[in-house]
Amino acid sequence: MFIYYKRVRLGALPKLALSTAKSVFGDPKALSPVSVQIEPTNYCNQKCVFCYRQNNPWRFDNKHMTFAEFKKIIDSMPDLEELLLNGYGEPLLCPDIFKMLEYASSKGIFTKTNTNMSLLTKENAKKLVETGINEVFISLDSVDPKLYEKLRGTKLELTLKGFENLLEARKKAKSNMKITLNFVVTEETIPGMKNIIDYITGKDVLVKFKSLTVTGKNAAKMMHKSVLAINEMKKYAKNKGVNVWFKMKDKSENKPFCYAIWFGSFIDVNGNMAPCCQMPYEYSFGNVLDTSLEECWNSEKFIEFRKALNSRDLSKLPKEIQNRCYNCNFCFNDQIHKLRKIVNNRP
């Protein structure tokens, strides 16, 4: 969950500035959300070996969010600027996904979703672009058919066809929709990184390398190998005219600070509000479909969570939550963290 300051409406800037100030000064009571991730479904048609869902199937009840539920959530957030429709399922499996995206776009919200592309027929690709969506994240870790099927459990041919359909639909609609390719970096996928760059060259696609959180005795070695491979690919991609994004938290900073919990949260398919998508189904601040958004957003539990991150002392949080925050590479913001150090005059 990231705020794109260049893309927000002018009227939202004071709210963003105040939310930033609250995160810097550590005020645990937040303003209304400006960025949120909503899970439209937790059904999935793939079996990715590195997915949390695949390794914890008992936590998922296979459910779709209805449009009425989605609308209730969106309408309760008057200051919402950015929406990511995605969770632990394939968004295009949700019957109301196009209606959801269209509704959010009609309200001037910067809308995004993910897809594994296996369901992107020409018709679905056209529908997706026509919703007015701003950005689509696509998942592709290999263009080797055998490895792709091993990693994701489905045929590569269907995925690549979906990708071509998406590119064609964007071109025909003369859309400015951004396409970002998520590549999961593992020991098995590193050898094929160059092939991915070659495949998307000239297609106006951003590549985002995502490293898995690795634990155990080989963790440091694997992380080092990943970083070296990614840095090499960044050079290769630059020569090919392909934009690459990769961000990793400095692990020497073992007292995490997360700015995102002052701006937004993750809401699962059942309406439960969690700090982010890294800890759904386990650490809920309340249900936004059963109670008001404000009751969840500034609940005692959420305020205590913000206090813990503000103090950078997670000792009172459940052990599993501590581990997820300490190992998170996603919502750590160096600039805000440095600013907080200056404001608070502490090392």
Side-chain angles (χ1 to χ4, degrees), residues 80-197:
L80 191 64
E81 289 291 325
E82 180 182 72
L83 167 69
L84 172 59
L85 264 174
N86 178 52
Y88 284 85
E90 166 55 40
L92 294 186
L93 285 171
C94 177
D96 289 330
I97 187 64
F98 300 122
K99 194 174 180 181
M100 291 173 175
L101 289 167
E102 188 173 14
Y103 182 73
S105 295
S106 72
K107 293 175 73 72
I109 298 168
F110 190 93
T111 56
K112 306 180 289 186
T113 194
N114 286 56
T115 179
N116 59 37
M117 300 184 287
S118 63
L119 299 174
L120 275 176
T121 60
K122 287 190 175 185
E123 181 183 4
N124 281 343
K126 182 174 181 289
K127 285 182 179 180
L128 184 60
V129 174
E130 288 177 347
T131 64
I133 189 170
N134 299 96
E135 185 169 10
V136 176
F137 295 93
I138 59 175
S139 301
L140 187 62
D141 325 288
S142 176
V143 287
D144 175 80
K146 289 184 179 179
L147 179 57
Y148 182 87
E149 187 170 352
K150 178 184 177 182
L151 294 174
R152 294 190 173 268
T154 55
K155 299 292 184 182
L156 176 65
E157 182 182 0
L158 196 60
T159 297
L160 296 186
K161 182 60 179 175
F163 179 50
E164 297 300 328
N165 289 338
L166 183 63
L167 291 174
E168 183 183 357
R170 181 177 67 172
K171 183 178 180 180
K172 284 186 176 180
K174 296 180 181 179
S175 169
N176 292 322
M177 179 190 76
K178 182 179 178 181
I179 299 176
T180 299
L181 187 151
N182 286 331
F183 181 102
V184 179
V185 181
T186 69
E187 194 136 23
E188 289 183 292
T189 62
I190 285 175
M193 294 170 80
K194 186 178 289 188
N195 295 333
I196 290 287
I197 299 297

Side-chain angles (χ1 to χ4, degrees), residues 23 256-262 275-276 305 309-310 325 328 331-333:
S23 68
F257 168 69
C258 178
Y259 79 105
I261 52 176
W262 272 268
C276 69
F305 185 80
L309 268 293
N310 173 53
C325 287
C328 178
C331 292
F332 188 87
N333 187 287

Side-chain angles (χ1 to χ4, degrees), residues 229-290:
I230 291 168
N231 286 336
E232 187 65 29
M233 279 307 103
K234 287 170 73 174
K235 297 176 186 176
Y236 183 74
K238 185 177 181 179
N239 291 332
K240 301 278 286 187
V242 175
N243 291 322
V244 170
W245 186 95
F246 175 68
K247 179 76 169 67
M248 180 176 287
K249 183 177 75 174
D250 180 1
K251 293 298 183 179
S252 64
E253 173 53 72
N254 61 358
K255 294 180 179 179
F257 168 69
C258 178
Y259 79 105
I261 52 176
W262 272 268
F263 292 94
S265 66
F266 173 82
I267 298 174
D268 72 22
V269 70
N270 295 300
N272 297 308
M273 177 180 281
C276 69
C277 64
Q278 296 301 299
M279 51 185 79
Y281 306 104
E282 306 157 300
Y283 203 67
S284 173
F285 299 131
N287 190 293
V288 297
L289 296 175
D290 296 335

